[in-house]
Amino acid sequence: LNVHLDFKSDLFIYYYGLVLLALTVLVFLLILLWPVELPDIPLKQTKEGRLALSNHGINQFIQTKLSGEDLSNIKVRLKNTRRQRKFYIVADSVYKQATVEELPRISYDLTKSLND
């Protein structure tokens, strides 16, 4: 084939270093900006102490509130980060049609109770 390649190792090492540096910075920024799951919701922080609601306590509160609404097998998943709190709730109901009609009221009451 008579192909002659002129290979300069210094140039290769320079570009390899730049790519490695860019990947390292990208991974570092990804680690810093990744949302961290918090163990509780702080209510008050003073030099005397800290008052917070734990995620387990919030789950139990939601299950207790929903158990009075003719729902069973209630499963609550909480995503608690610095910027947002999301609740994923799954439950079974014996009277599905009646419960579907009541969902807006149940959701409003639960949101109001959680905010209080």
Side-chain angles (χ1 to χ4, degrees):
L1 295 173
N2 203 10
V3 176
H4 178 69
L5 294 175
D6 190 20
F7 183 71
K8 294 183 180 181
S9 63
D10 294 339
L11 191 61
F12 176 75
I13 291 173
Y14 174 74
Y15 285 120
Y16 179 74
L18 283 180
V19 169
L20 193 60
L21 179 67
L23 286 175
T24 305
V25 168
L26 183 69
V27 168
F28 182 70
L29 287 175
L30 185 68
I31 289 172
L32 282 179
L33 298 176
W34 195 265
V36 176
E37 187 94 18
L38 300 175
D40 54 15
I41 297 174
L43 299 176
K44 192 174 185 181
Q45 177 99 25
T46 62
K47 58 184 172 184
E48 287 88 27
R50 179 174 189 260
L51 179 64
L53 291 173
S54 70
N55 291 344
H56 181 70
I58 295 169
N59 286 345
Q60 293 301 317
F61 176 77
I62 292 172
Q63 287 180 0
T64 303
K65 281 298 236 188
L66 293 179
S67 65
E69 300 288 343
D70 294 330
L71 297 172
S72 61
N73 197 17
I74 302 167
K75 293 183 175 118
V76 180
R77 208 175 93 227
L78 170 68
K79 183 176 182 181
N80 181 16
T81 61
R82 212 173 4 152
R83 293 186 178 96
Q84 65 183 352
R85 289 167 187 89
K86 289 185 179 179
F87 304 98
Y88 302 96
I89 303 169
V90 177
D92 294 335
S93 173
V94 177
Y95 307 106
K96 292 181 183 173
Q97 191 61 29
T99 305
V100 168
E101 293 171 0
E102 291 291 318
L103 277 179
R105 181 193 59 79
I106 293 170
S107 177
Y108 175 76
D109 290 344
L110 184 60
T111 304
K112 186 177 178 220
S113 297
L114 284 170
N115 286 335
D116 289 345

